Amino acid sequence: MISFPEGFFKDRRTSLALAFLVNATLGSVYAYGVFRPALESHWGIGALESGLPYTAFLAAFAFSMPLSGALIGRLGEKNSIWLCCFLLWAGWTLAGFSDGITALAFYYGGLGGVAVGFGYGATLSFAAKLYPDRKGFAMGTVLAGFGLSALFTTPLMRKVMELAGPVEAFAWAGTLLALAAFIFSLPLRRPPAHPHAHTAAGMAGLPALDVGPMEMLRTPKFYALWTALAVACAAGLSMIGITPAFAAEAGWSQSDAAFLLMPLAVFNAGGRPVFGWVTDRYGPAAAGATAFALVCAAAAALWLFPGQRWLFVPAFAVFWLSFGAWLAVAPAAAAFFFGLTHQARNYGIVYTAYGVGAIAGVTLTSVFRDNFGSYAAVMPYLSGTALIFCIFSALTLTGKGEARRQGRVHLTRDERKS
């Protein structure tokens, strides 16, 4: 029998690790590409139709986040994760009986996307309440599980698809993933009901405002943050979406390009805790501006040195890292500006920028490809936009630095150990 040290599950580091594992199962949607060729062959459809479930997921995921935040406030983080597990199992199981791509998009993309929105929002809220003193790093760590999920779940998807077929595999994979997320969530301890009930360091890190959604919507900071996140998601999701095609334009073979997706996913995940820490230490303005500056430099390099095969990997590593960075900067900034009491509801509204950015970015990139014959044509426009929003973030996402306030607070011995 496995035994754990006394107090193991009461340690907030253990809870953070479990929340990371929950997200590692929920991010399995990023492995959807495994199914696409088999679905196209099975139903005799094209690439546009086979991508419909993934598009439906992105939309349902993003636009369900406000509802998710409201439910988390009523049910609590742990119950919301359990609801997510049930809906995920139901959506993927029904998807396993789909008779066409439209049904698959509805069950896997629509219902599955709503389910993941509930779990995603709950783990973020949970991490912020566990570590009110280091919320950016904590939320970034949990989000890294979502970004790394494809590394863990792709082999599972391939194996299940070999055994059950391209459609029935959704039912089996969904059952396994929902069960894993449920098991990982069982030992989670409910975080403090209010951030004031936590440590002295947490109290030192409280923002000047602690407001609900209606008050948040009346502040200029919300619109600045929403706009910056929408642009960051438009840039990041469009670049992630064209990675294999751009690799082919740069001279990489299809098999080599597919292999490169794995290390690029590591950059995506790694950017989240790193930039979460940067947000804690230097504030949202510095973190957001730095992420946009990296995109500006990478896009400019691809524009100024076209056709350079060696430049593809570092440039796209920056794109993937910067996108992951903003997915940590945004929730940390929402907590930084608007407080932790209503974090789930507030960030649910901010996160609608993800859906708008996804639709706009993917659409604009496709338009450039159709009109200019190459994805490289978008790079000067991407570089210029990133430069503008680097300046925009530096000027609008400013706020009093929390890290500087924490230095004046006496910490107990237990707090210094944690």
Side-chain angles (χ1 to χ4, degrees):
M1 176 179 286
I2 299 176
S3 60
F4 295 97
E6 185 178 355
F8 179 78
F9 289 110
K10 294 182 180 180
D11 191 319
R12 59 180 179 164
R13 290 168 293 189
T14 301
S15 292
L16 191 68
L18 290 168
F20 170 94
L21 292 173
V22 170
N23 258 9
T25 62
L26 301 184
S28 55
V29 67
Y30 289 142
Y32 174 74
V34 172
F35 294 98
R36 290 186 68 173
L39 290 172
E40 290 170 12
S41 176
H42 180 73
W43 280 323
I45 57 177
L48 183 63
E49 291 172 288
S50 71
L52 184 60
Y54 184 65
T55 305
F57 169 84
L58 291 177
F61 175 35
F63 295 116
S64 69
M65 284 289 282
L67 173 61
S68 165
L71 284 177
I72 291 167
R74 289 180 175 272
L75 300 177
E77 289 80 8
K78 191 168 181 177
N79 287 334
S80 296
I81 292 173
W82 289 353
L83 177 60
C84 160
C85 294
F86 173 75
L87 292 176
L88 183 70
W89 168 79
W92 282 49
T93 299
L94 291 170
F97 294 93
S98 299
D99 57 0
I101 197 67
T102 303
L104 185 67
F106 180 80
Y107 294 125
Y108 169 83
L111 187 54
V114 171
V116 172
F118 291 168
Y120 184 93
T123 55
L124 277 180
S125 177
F126 192 86
K129 289 180 180 178
L130 282 174
Y131 284 85
D133 48 331
R134 286 174 280 170
K135 51 185 169 288
F137 175 76
M139 287 189 281
T141 299
V142 166
L143 289 172
F146 204 87
L148 284 174
S149 179
L151 295 180
F152 308 138
T153 57
T154 297
L156 169 67
M157 303 294 190
R158 290 186 185 278
K159 187 63 177 178
V160 174
M161 189 169 61
E162 290 174 5
L163 295 174
V167 180
E168 292 83 356
F170 285 97
W172 290 100
T175 299
L176 292 172
L177 291 168
L179 180 62
F182 177 73
I183 291 172
F184 291 141
S185 71
L186 284 175
L188 288 176
R189 299 281 178 163
R190 184 178 178 87
H194 192 280
H196 290 287
H198 206 75
T199 62
M203 293 174 66
L206 292 176
L209 287 177
D210 198 4
V211 300
M214 296 308 297
E215 294 89 345
M216 177 186 72
L217 290 170
R218 288 194 282 267
T219 66
K221 282 287 190 292
F222 165 76
Y223 296 97
L225 178 59
W226 191 97
T227 303
L229 178 60
V231 173
C233 289
L237 288 169
S238 61
M239 290 301 101
I240 288 174
I242 69 169
T243 298
F246 198 97
E249 291 182 5
W252 292 82
S253 68
Q254 186 175 0
S255 59
D256 288 343
F259 174 78
L260 288 172
L261 293 179
M262 298 180 68
L264 290 176
V266 174
F267 277 93
N268 186 329
R272 305 177 190 211
V274 170
F275 274 80
W277 176 85
V278 172
T279 306
D280 285 337
R281 183 67 181 86
Y282 300 103
T290 300
F292 275 123
L294 290 172
V295 173
C296 175
L302 291 171
W303 171 40
L304 295 173
F305 303 100
Q308 297 295 317
R309 189 173 185 267
W310 63 269
L311 190 56
F312 167 79
V313 174
F316 272 79
V318 167
F319 291 145
W320 284 58
L321 180 144
S322 299
F323 173 63
W326 260 100
L327 293 183
V329 172
F336 186 96
F337 293 131
F338 311 120
L340 294 178
T341 303
H342 306 283
Q343 164 69 7
R345 295 171 64 199
N346 289 342
Y347 187 60
I349 296 172
V350 172
Y351 199 74
T352 58
Y354 179 100
V356 173
I359 295 169
V362 173
T363 302
L364 287 172
T365 304
S366 300
V367 169
F368 271 93
R369 174 66 174 80
D370 291 340
N371 285 300
F372 295 100
S374 170
Y375 285 115
V378 78
M379 293 305 163
Y381 299 95
L382 176 60
S383 181
T385 301
L387 177 59
I388 291 170
F389 276 87
C390 172
I391 299 170
F392 176 85
S393 299
L395 294 177
T396 62
L397 300 182
T398 55
K400 188 175 180 181
E402 297 173 335
R404 279 172 254 158
R405 299 205 305 273
Q406 290 175 8
R408 298 197 296 270
V409 177
H410 173 71
L411 303 181
T412 67
R413 181 182 302 173
D414 290 338
E415 288 171 342
R416 286 195 294 269
K417 286 180 179 179
S418 64

